[in-house]
mmCIF file of all heavy atoms in Angstrom:
data_model
loop_
_atom_site.group_PDB
_atom_site.id
_atom_site.type_symbol
_atom_site.label_atom_id
_atom_site.label_comp_id
_atom_site.label_asym_id
_atom_site.label_seq_id
_atom_site.Cartn_x
_atom_site.Cartn_y
_atom_site.Cartn_z
ATOM 1 N N THR A 271 118.253 99.193 85.615
ATOM 2 C CA THR A 271 117.392 98.504 84.596
ATOM 3 C C THR A 271 115.980 98.243 85.134
ATOM 4 O O THR A 271 115.386 97.211 84.818
ATOM 5 C CB THR A 271 118.075 97.200 84.152
ATOM 6 O OG1 THR A 271 118.324 96.373 85.318
ATOM 7 C CG2 THR A 271 119.322 97.468 83.404
ATOM 8 N N LEU A 272 115.453 99.125 85.954
ATOM 9 C CA LEU A 272 114.079 98.941 86.491
ATOM 10 C C LEU A 272 113.041 98.931 85.343
ATOM 11 O O LEU A 272 111.924 98.390 85.586
ATOM 12 C CB LEU A 272 113.736 100.047 87.467
ATOM 13 C CG LEU A 272 114.299 99.814 88.920
ATOM 14 C CD1 LEU A 272 113.940 101.069 89.769
ATOM 15 C CD2 LEU A 272 113.722 98.575 89.542
ATOM 16 N N ASP A 273 113.397 99.487 84.238
ATOM 17 C CA ASP A 273 112.410 99.521 83.104
ATOM 18 C C ASP A 273 112.255 98.117 82.498
ATOM 19 O O ASP A 273 111.349 97.908 81.646
ATOM 20 C CB ASP A 273 112.860 100.531 82.021
ATOM 21 C CG ASP A 273 114.321 100.257 81.534
ATOM 22 O OD1 ASP A 273 115.120 99.756 82.285
ATOM 23 O OD2 ASP A 273 114.566 100.574 80.344
ATOM 24 N N GLN A 274 113.038 97.167 82.874
ATOM 25 C CA GLN A 274 112.996 95.837 82.320
ATOM 26 C C GLN A 274 112.119 94.833 83.097
ATOM 27 O O GLN A 274 112.015 93.634 82.706
ATOM 28 C CB GLN A 274 114.424 95.230 82.150
ATOM 29 C CG GLN A 274 115.284 96.016 81.181
ATOM 30 C CD GLN A 274 116.694 95.471 81.086
ATOM 31 O OE1 GLN A 274 116.930 94.335 81.514
ATOM 32 N NE2 GLN A 274 117.634 96.264 80.564
ATOM 33 N N ILE A 275 111.543 95.269 84.240
ATOM 34 C CA ILE A 275 110.778 94.337 85.078
ATOM 35 C C ILE A 275 109.441 94.905 85.472
ATOM 36 O O ILE A 275 109.217 96.110 85.411
ATOM 37 C CB ILE A 275 111.558 93.933 86.324
ATOM 38 C CG1 ILE A 275 111.984 95.198 87.154
ATOM 39 C CG2 ILE A 275 112.751 93.062 86.046
ATOM 40 C CD1 ILE A 275 112.398 94.879 88.521
ATOM 41 N N ASP A 276 108.537 93.994 85.842
ATOM 42 C CA ASP A 276 107.249 94.334 86.425
ATOM 43 C C ASP A 276 107.160 93.640 87.783
ATOM 44 O O ASP A 276 107.815 92.591 87.995
ATOM 45 C CB ASP A 276 106.112 93.933 85.485
ATOM 46 C CG ASP A 276 106.001 94.752 84.248
ATOM 47 O OD1 ASP A 276 106.056 95.977 84.370
ATOM 48 O OD2 ASP A 276 105.996 94.181 83.133
ATOM 49 N N LEU A 277 106.264 94.090 88.600
ATOM 50 C CA LEU A 277 106.075 93.470 89.920
ATOM 51 C C LEU A 277 104.755 92.704 89.940
ATOM 52 O O LEU A 277 103.773 93.098 89.344
ATOM 53 C CB LEU A 277 106.014 94.501 91.009
ATOM 54 C CG LEU A 277 107.325 95.317 91.187
ATOM 55 C CD1 LEU A 277 107.166 96.377 92.265
ATOM 56 C CD2 LEU A 277 108.547 94.397 91.502
ATOM 57 N N GLU A 278 104.749 91.537 90.642
ATOM 58 C CA GLU A 278 103.540 90.743 90.787
ATOM 59 C C GLU A 278 103.089 90.808 92.246
ATOM 60 O O GLU A 278 103.857 90.693 93.167
ATOM 61 C CB GLU A 278 103.832 89.305 90.401
ATOM 62 C CG GLU A 278 102.608 88.428 90.340
ATOM 63 C CD GLU A 278 102.985 86.963 90.012
ATOM 64 O OE1 GLU A 278 104.141 86.667 89.715
ATOM 65 O OE2 GLU A 278 101.999 86.134 90.043
ATOM 66 N N TRP A 279 101.757 91.011 92.379
ATOM 67 C CA TRP A 279 101.209 91.196 93.716
ATOM 68 C C TRP A 279 100.132 90.200 94.072
ATOM 69 O O TRP A 279 99.355 89.774 93.213
ATOM 70 C CB TRP A 279 100.539 92.641 93.839
ATOM 71 C CG TRP A 279 101.590 93.688 93.596
ATOM 72 C CD1 TRP A 279 101.792 94.348 92.433
ATOM 73 C CD2 TRP A 279 102.500 94.184 94.572
ATOM 74 N NE1 TRP A 279 102.838 95.266 92.646
ATOM 75 C CE2 TRP A 279 103.281 95.157 93.949
ATOM 76 C CE3 TRP A 279 102.753 93.901 95.894
ATOM 77 C CZ2 TRP A 279 104.280 95.872 94.582
ATOM 78 C CZ3 TRP A 279 103.758 94.600 96.572
ATOM 79 C CH2 TRP A 279 104.502 95.565 95.898
ATOM 80 N N ASP A 280 100.045 89.799 95.335
ATOM 81 C CA ASP A 280 98.957 89.013 95.837
ATOM 82 C C ASP A 280 97.685 89.869 95.771
ATOM 83 O O ASP A 280 97.685 91.019 96.123
ATOM 84 C CB ASP A 280 99.224 88.628 97.303
ATOM 85 C CG ASP A 280 98.318 87.534 97.861
ATOM 86 O OD1 ASP A 280 97.066 87.673 97.648
ATOM 87 O OD2 ASP A 280 98.829 86.548 98.410
ATOM 88 N N ARG A 281 96.609 89.302 95.233
ATOM 89 C CA ARG A 281 95.351 90.032 95.050
ATOM 90 C C ARG A 281 94.719 90.382 96.388
ATOM 91 O O ARG A 281 93.855 91.266 96.464
ATOM 92 C CB ARG A 281 94.371 89.219 94.194
ATOM 93 C CG ARG A 281 93.977 87.922 94.836
ATOM 94 C CD ARG A 281 92.852 87.176 94.135
ATOM 95 N NE ARG A 281 92.538 85.921 94.804
ATOM 96 C CZ ARG A 281 91.861 85.880 95.918
ATOM 97 N NH1 ARG A 281 91.395 86.970 96.528
ATOM 98 N NH2 ARG A 281 91.633 84.719 96.492
ATOM 99 N N ARG A 282 95.127 89.664 97.452
ATOM 100 C CA ARG A 282 94.483 89.902 98.786
ATOM 101 C C ARG A 282 94.965 91.231 99.420
ATOM 102 O O ARG A 282 95.942 91.826 99.001
ATOM 103 C CB ARG A 282 94.801 88.721 99.700
ATOM 104 C CG ARG A 282 94.129 87.433 99.315
ATOM 105 C CD ARG A 282 94.562 86.316 100.193
ATOM 106 N NE ARG A 282 95.973 85.941 99.934
ATOM 107 C CZ ARG A 282 96.640 84.991 100.657
ATOM 108 N NH1 ARG A 282 96.043 84.331 101.595
ATOM 109 N NH2 ARG A 282 97.876 84.764 100.333
ATOM 110 N N ILE A 283 94.238 91.639 100.395
ATOM 111 C CA ILE A 283 94.568 92.836 101.203
ATOM 112 C C ILE A 283 95.469 92.393 102.347
ATOM 113 O O ILE A 283 95.274 91.284 102.969
ATOM 114 C CB ILE A 283 93.296 93.508 101.773
ATOM 115 C CG1 ILE A 283 92.556 94.280 100.655
ATOM 116 C CG2 ILE A 283 93.634 94.470 102.884
ATOM 117 C CD1 ILE A 283 91.701 93.462 99.794
ATOM 118 N N ALA A 284 96.515 93.209 102.634
ATOM 119 C CA ALA A 284 97.328 92.960 103.816
ATOM 120 C C ALA A 284 97.130 94.124 104.774
ATOM 121 O O ALA A 284 97.071 95.254 104.351
ATOM 122 C CB ALA A 284 98.795 92.869 103.401
ATOM 123 N N LEU A 285 97.046 93.788 106.029
ATOM 124 C CA LEU A 285 96.825 94.784 107.069
ATOM 125 C C LEU A 285 97.703 94.532 108.269
ATOM 126 O O LEU A 285 97.807 93.393 108.753
ATOM 127 C CB LEU A 285 95.347 94.796 107.448
ATOM 128 C CG LEU A 285 94.854 95.894 108.450
ATOM 129 C CD1 LEU A 285 93.482 96.352 108.086
ATOM 130 C CD2 LEU A 285 94.869 95.339 109.892
ATOM 131 N N GLY A 286 98.360 95.597 108.757
ATOM 132 C CA GLY A 286 99.244 95.460 109.913
ATOM 133 C C GLY A 286 98.846 96.347 111.053
ATOM 134 O O GLY A 286 98.569 97.540 110.813
ATOM 135 N N VAL A 287 98.880 95.859 112.272
ATOM 136 C CA VAL A 287 98.531 96.603 113.449
ATOM 137 C C VAL A 287 99.763 96.710 114.360
ATOM 138 O O VAL A 287 100.369 95.671 114.697
ATOM 139 C CB VAL A 287 97.354 95.940 114.277
ATOM 140 C CG1 VAL A 287 96.998 96.833 115.488
ATOM 141 C CG2 VAL A 287 96.129 95.712 113.371
ATOM 142 N N VAL A 288 100.136 97.940 114.694
ATOM 143 C CA VAL A 288 101.280 98.147 115.562
ATOM 144 C C VAL A 288 100.919 98.036 117.011
ATOM 145 O O VAL A 288 99.888 98.616 117.457
ATOM 146 C CB VAL A 288 101.883 99.571 115.258
ATOM 147 C CG1 VAL A 288 102.941 99.972 116.336
ATOM 148 C CG2 VAL A 288 102.574 99.549 113.869
ATOM 149 N N MET A 289 101.720 97.326 117.789
ATOM 150 C CA MET A 289 101.660 97.293 119.253
ATOM 151 C C MET A 289 102.821 98.173 119.761
ATOM 152 O O MET A 289 103.987 97.864 119.457
ATOM 153 C CB MET A 289 101.737 95.900 119.760
ATOM 154 C CG MET A 289 100.649 94.977 119.280
ATOM 155 S SD MET A 289 100.720 93.275 119.978
ATOM 156 C CE MET A 289 100.149 93.587 121.652
ATOM 157 N N ALA A 290 102.502 99.248 120.485
ATOM 158 C CA ALA A 290 103.506 100.152 120.981
ATOM 159 C C ALA A 290 103.676 100.043 122.462
ATOM 160 O O ALA A 290 102.799 99.575 123.213
ATOM 161 C CB ALA A 290 103.124 101.591 120.569
ATOM 162 N N ALA A 291 104.822 100.536 122.926
ATOM 163 C CA ALA A 291 105.140 100.456 124.413
ATOM 164 C C ALA A 291 104.368 101.540 125.154
ATOM 165 O O ALA A 291 103.921 102.551 124.603
ATOM 166 C CB ALA A 291 106.647 100.683 124.587
ATOM 167 N N GLU A 292 104.208 101.315 126.453
ATOM 168 C CA GLU A 292 103.615 102.347 127.311
ATOM 169 C C GLU A 292 104.466 103.604 127.240
ATOM 170 O O GLU A 292 105.699 103.553 127.221
ATOM 171 C CB GLU A 292 103.541 101.817 128.770
ATOM 172 C CG GLU A 292 102.910 102.816 129.699
ATOM 173 C CD GLU A 292 102.564 102.217 131.062
ATOM 174 O OE1 GLU A 292 101.959 101.157 131.085
ATOM 175 O OE2 GLU A 292 102.966 102.852 132.076
ATOM 176 N N GLY A 293 103.778 104.762 127.148
ATOM 177 C CA GLY A 293 104.479 106.044 127.096
ATOM 178 C C GLY A 293 104.789 106.511 125.719
ATOM 179 O O GLY A 293 105.223 107.702 125.512
ATOM 180 N N TYR A 294 104.638 105.690 124.711
ATOM 181 C CA TYR A 294 104.888 106.073 123.322
ATOM 182 C C TYR A 294 103.782 107.088 122.914
ATOM 183 O O TYR A 294 102.676 106.962 123.352
ATOM 184 C CB TYR A 294 104.790 104.828 122.403
ATOM 185 C CG TYR A 294 105.038 105.137 120.909
ATOM 186 C CD1 TYR A 294 106.327 105.368 120.443
ATOM 187 C CD2 TYR A 294 103.961 105.218 120.012
ATOM 188 C CE1 TYR A 294 106.558 105.669 119.117
ATOM 189 C CE2 TYR A 294 104.197 105.458 118.655
ATOM 190 C CZ TYR A 294 105.465 105.721 118.245
ATOM 191 O OH TYR A 294 105.690 105.953 116.923
ATOM 192 N N PRO A 295 104.083 108.196 122.168
ATOM 193 C CA PRO A 295 105.362 108.422 121.437
ATOM 194 C C PRO A 295 106.430 109.246 122.193
ATOM 195 O O PRO A 295 107.596 109.283 121.767
ATOM 196 C CB PRO A 295 104.884 109.223 120.220
ATOM 197 C CG PRO A 295 103.688 109.963 120.685
ATOM 198 C CD PRO A 295 103.019 109.100 121.715
ATOM 199 N N LEU A 296 106.079 109.939 123.278
ATOM 200 C CA LEU A 296 107.031 110.859 123.863
ATOM 201 C C LEU A 296 108.082 110.180 124.763
ATOM 202 O O LEU A 296 109.263 110.504 124.695
ATOM 203 C CB LEU A 296 106.364 111.941 124.660
ATOM 204 C CG LEU A 296 105.754 113.079 123.827
ATOM 205 C CD1 LEU A 296 105.045 114.100 124.734
ATOM 206 C CD2 LEU A 296 106.769 113.833 122.960
ATOM 207 N N ALA A 297 107.653 109.224 125.568
ATOM 208 C CA ALA A 297 108.554 108.610 126.543
ATOM 209 C C ALA A 297 108.265 107.067 126.657
ATOM 210 O O ALA A 297 107.740 106.596 127.670
ATOM 211 C CB ALA A 297 108.457 109.276 127.915
ATOM 212 N N PRO A 298 108.560 106.303 125.639
ATOM 213 C CA PRO A 298 108.234 104.864 125.668
ATOM 214 C C PRO A 298 109.070 104.142 126.786
ATOM 215 O O PRO A 298 110.262 104.372 126.933
ATOM 216 C CB PRO A 298 108.618 104.369 124.327
ATOM 217 C CG PRO A 298 109.583 105.396 123.722
ATOM 218 C CD PRO A 298 109.222 106.645 124.378
ATOM 219 N N ARG A 299 108.368 103.240 127.462
ATOM 220 C CA ARG A 299 109.039 102.424 128.488
ATOM 221 C C ARG A 299 109.700 101.227 127.824
ATOM 222 O O ARG A 299 109.132 100.635 126.892
ATOM 223 C CB ARG A 299 107.990 101.930 129.512
ATOM 224 C CG ARG A 299 108.576 101.276 130.737
ATOM 225 C CD ARG A 299 107.503 101.049 131.790
ATOM 226 N NE ARG A 299 106.620 99.919 131.346
ATOM 227 C CZ ARG A 299 105.435 99.661 131.970
ATOM 228 N NH1 ARG A 299 104.987 100.500 132.881
ATOM 229 N NH2 ARG A 299 104.718 98.676 131.556
ATOM 230 N N LYS A 300 110.818 100.840 128.328
ATOM 231 C CA LYS A 300 111.573 99.672 127.768
ATOM 232 C C LYS A 300 111.694 98.589 128.840
ATOM 233 O O LYS A 300 111.660 98.862 130.041
ATOM 234 C CB LYS A 300 112.937 100.116 127.286
ATOM 235 C CG LYS A 300 112.909 101.172 126.194
ATOM 236 C CD LYS A 300 114.336 101.592 125.777
ATOM 237 C CE LYS A 300 114.260 102.668 124.711
ATOM 238 N NZ LYS A 300 115.602 103.109 124.294
ATOM 239 N N GLY A 301 111.928 97.353 128.364
ATOM 240 C CA GLY A 301 112.311 96.290 129.282
ATOM 241 C C GLY A 301 111.146 95.347 129.638
ATOM 242 O O GLY A 301 111.307 94.411 130.403
ATOM 243 N N ASP A 302 109.928 95.595 129.106
ATOM 244 C CA ASP A 302 108.812 94.703 129.459
ATOM 245 C C ASP A 302 108.928 93.364 128.744
ATOM 246 O O ASP A 302 109.269 93.307 127.535
ATOM 247 C CB ASP A 302 107.452 95.384 129.116
ATOM 248 C CG ASP A 302 107.132 96.549 130.097
ATOM 249 O OD1 ASP A 302 107.152 96.261 131.264
ATOM 250 O OD2 ASP A 302 106.913 97.686 129.594
ATOM 251 N N LEU A 303 108.558 92.316 129.450
ATOM 252 C CA LEU A 303 108.579 90.993 128.851
ATOM 253 C C LEU A 303 107.467 90.788 127.874
ATOM 254 O O LEU A 303 106.300 91.122 128.165
ATOM 255 C CB LEU A 303 108.476 89.911 130.002
ATOM 256 C CG LEU A 303 108.638 88.475 129.645
ATOM 257 C CD1 LEU A 303 110.024 88.135 129.135
ATOM 258 C CD2 LEU A 303 108.298 87.581 130.857
ATOM 259 N N ILE A 304 107.781 90.196 126.717
ATOM 260 C CA ILE A 304 106.804 89.953 125.640
ATOM 261 C C ILE A 304 106.477 88.468 125.583
ATOM 262 O O ILE A 304 107.410 87.656 125.552
ATOM 263 C CB ILE A 304 107.299 90.428 124.267
ATOM 264 C CG1 ILE A 304 107.734 91.931 124.340
ATOM 265 C CG2 ILE A 304 106.224 90.229 123.189
ATOM 266 C CD1 ILE A 304 108.555 92.337 123.133
ATOM 267 N N GLY A 305 105.201 88.101 125.518
ATOM 268 C CA GLY A 305 104.814 86.689 125.373
ATOM 269 C C GLY A 305 103.710 86.527 124.398
ATOM 270 O O GLY A 305 103.048 87.455 123.994
#
């Protein structure tokens, strides 16, 4: 019943920045402490 609803959006812009591990994308390192 998706035809029965509409979506409401925040008028603001949202932006996301990815923080990746050392070695990404081919050989990412694991186990580093995050703070």
Side-chain angles (χ1 to χ4, degrees):
T271 54
L272 279 176
D273 55 331
Q274 296 179 16
I275 55 166
D276 291 309
L277 298 178
E278 187 182 354
W279 298 98
D280 193 310
R281 60 170 182 77
R282 291 174 292 176
I283 285 80
L285 184 144
V287 183
V288 167
M289 300 182 74
E292 181 168 311
Y294 180 75
L296 283 179
R299 189 173 73 195
K300 300 178 182 179
D302 287 308
L303 185 65
I304 305 167

